[in-house]
Amino acid sequence: MKTALVLAAALLSRVASAQPGATPPVEPSPSEPAPAEPAPEPPKGDPAYGQGPDHAVVDPVASDTPGIRMGRKIVVRYTPSRSRGNITKVALLAGSSLVFGGIGLYFHFDSRASSDEVSSNKFTGRPWTQERQAHYDDAHRSATVATVMYGIGGALLLTTAIFYIVTEPGQETMEITPHKKSKPTAMITPTRGGALVGTGWRF
Amino acid sequence: MRVAVLSSVLLAACTPEIATGSYFCGPDSTCPEGQACNPADHTCTLAGIRKPFECEADLDAEPDDSPALGYTLGILECTMLPVVIAGCMFIDDPADWVRLPIPADCGTVEIDARISYPVAFQQLGLSLIDTTSGVELATDEECVFQSESGDDLRCLAASLTGGVTYAIGVSPTGDGDCDGDCAFNRYTLRAQLK
């Protein structure tokens, strides 16, 4: 866990003496701890720090602010998108069914054209020649091919629909547990002629 | 379900639908699948309603299997309207002959002879001979026009000399007889002097 200290805001202002009659603020010595580090517990009764603690830690748990509660799991429900591989498979299946259906349609029209050449429901006055027999055979052959192609295309279309439904991503749940030490800490550090206000948290 | 039914109907429409009696029989008595050639009228019908070959000739000239025995046409003129004879060629009938005595005062005349017969049964041919010498003068050829009614049409043309008796013979060529199963036919012979 990486630790970072972020100074969100700094305010330098004159702070009037909190209590009348108190000793004026003393200039901190150069050996005073850097403001970036957690402020040490001030010695009670030290006139340099005043009578009481001059910094406070704001605990979000203790506050009434809605949102993150430390130590409590956050449950997120979501539906993930289809993977690229899944989309590719669906597209390939659907495309294949279209291709087979298209081939079937071609042979369908071919068989219909040949069939129209010889189909008749009344006396034609013409003999049954080899040419008409060829049309007849072509019509049957193309109809058979069209049927097979339609069958394969239909099966692929059905497979596509089933595959699409079966592989649809379901709703997933993700739990997030906020880190216990991520509580933000507010600090107020007295400085000469004012105070330094900052906050820091771990994430 | 509805799509499946519609698809079946559309596919069914792709299969040829040929009503019985729609076509004349083809060469060697061929017919569409599920139908058979009816020898009685050489049309394609259901196999169960076929009738045997039957033929009614204009004249019963048998035996007319040789030029000498052929039926003699009556008084011919140098130019005349066509003479049309319906004849029958039954199984094992080698030929039918018709004799043509050309009047002596005609000089040279042209004869135009044609024969038409169903393509369903055995094919027939024409030949013209001089009965005196027995020489074959001409045989049939393909006509410049063709029949569209399921018949084959063959033509013969030759110059004839007055005072000579000729004979036109109709005989099977040996083709289209369904390996013997349809070695018969009916024909129409048309002859004209001009």
Side-chain angles (χ1 to χ4, degrees):
Chain A
M1 180 67 78
K2 183 179 178 182
T3 303
L5 183 63
V6 179
L7 293 175
L11 174 65
L12 187 64
S13 62
R14 292 184 175 277
V15 180
S17 178
Q19 297 180 1
T23 308
V26 179
E27 184 74 18
S29 66
S31 61
E32 190 175 351
E37 293 183 7
E41 193 70 19
K44 291 184 177 179
D46 189 343
Y49 291 90
Q51 293 298 316
D54 57 357
H55 70 284
V57 175
V58 179
D59 188 353
V61 176
S63 70
D64 292 329
T65 306
I68 298 171
R69 298 288 179 89
M70 280 184 229
R72 220 173 141 179
K73 291 178 180 176
I74 301 170
V75 178
V76 179
R77 291 189 178 86
Y78 68 102
T79 303
S81 303
R82 287 179 180 275
S83 67
R84 185 178 294 274
N86 181 265
I87 293 173
T88 303
K89 286 175 185 173
V90 171
L92 279 176
L93 280 171
S96 300
S97 69
L98 284 177
V99 167
F100 278 101
I103 295 172
L105 199 63
Y106 170 80
F107 280 99
H108 184 154
F109 287 133
D110 184 60
S111 70
R112 173 164 287 185
S114 296
S115 180
D116 289 345
E117 290 285 336
V118 295
S119 290
S120 174
N121 57 2
K122 61 180 186 296
F123 180 60
T124 63
R126 295 179 176 175
W128 186 252
T129 59
Q130 287 186 344
E131 183 185 358
R132 292 190 173 93
Q133 182 66 45
H135 282 301
Y136 184 88
D137 293 339
D138 282 344
H140 273 287
R141 192 180 306 114
S142 295
T144 302
V145 174
T147 303
V148 171
M149 291 296 143
Y150 279 147
I152 295 174
L156 282 171
L157 193 62
L158 189 63
T159 304
T160 304
I162 293 173
F163 183 79
Y164 184 84
I165 293 170
V166 167
T167 61
E168 184 177 15
Q171 193 178 57
E172 293 188 7
T173 302
M174 184 170 64
E175 293 182 352
I176 300 171
T177 306
H179 199 280
K180 290 183 178 179
K181 292 185 178 180
S182 65
K183 59 173 69 174
T185 303
M187 294 163 291
I188 302 172
T189 305
T191 60
R192 183 185 295 275
L196 181 65
V197 179
T199 186
W201 61 91
R202 185 192 297 266
F203 62 89
Chain B
M1 185 65 182
R2 195 174 293 174
V3 173
V5 171
L6 185 61
S7 300
S8 301
V9 170
L10 288 174
L11 278 179
C14 295
T15 306
E17 293 180 356
I18 302 170
T20 179
S22 294
Y23 285 98
F24 282 123
C25 307
D28 281 314
S29 297
T30 54
C31 280
E33 191 178 314
Q35 298 184 17
C37 187
N38 181 18
D41 60 1
H42 61 278
T43 59
C44 293
T45 59
L46 297 177
I49 59 173
R50 293 174 67 207
K51 292 180 179 176
F53 177 74
E54 54 189 36
C55 179
E56 188 172 343
D58 285 343
L59 45 93
D60 184 10
E62 295 290 347
D64 55 359
D65 300 340
S66 67
L69 298 174
Y71 174 80
T72 301
L73 288 179
I75 301 171
L76 297 179
E77 297 178 357
C78 299
T79 59
M80 63 180 193
L81 294 174
V83 175
V84 180
I85 302 171
C88 302
M89 188 66 67
F90 292 99
I91 292 177
D92 297 330
D93 187 354
D96 291 343
W97 287 92
V98 176
R99 293 170 64 88
L100 302 169
I102 306 300
D105 58 345
C106 286
T108 300
V109 294
E110 297 292 324
I111 183 169
D112 177 15
R114 301 171 193 173
I115 184 173
S116 64
Y117 54 88
V119 298
F121 312 126
Q122 67 178 353
Q123 295 180 16
L124 303 176
L126 289 176
S127 61
L128 176 71
I129 67 167
D130 182 337
T131 56
T132 306
S133 62
V135 175
E136 186 176 69
L137 301 176
T139 57
D140 61 275
E141 296 176 344
E142 189 172 339
C143 300
V144 294
F145 46 87
Q146 283 295 321
S147 170
E148 283 290 329
S149 60
D151 285 356
D152 260 347
L153 191 61
R154 303 293 294 180
C155 292
L156 181 150
S159 295
L160 306 180
T161 305
V164 178
T165 298
Y166 298 90
I168 294 177
V170 178
S171 58
T173 63
D175 295 327
D177 63 353
C178 315
D179 295 329
D181 290 340
C182 61
F184 46 77
N185 217 332
R186 59 182 71 88
Y187 63 87
T188 301
L189 177 63
R190 174 185 177 278
Q192 182 180 20
L193 296 179
K194 53 185 179 181

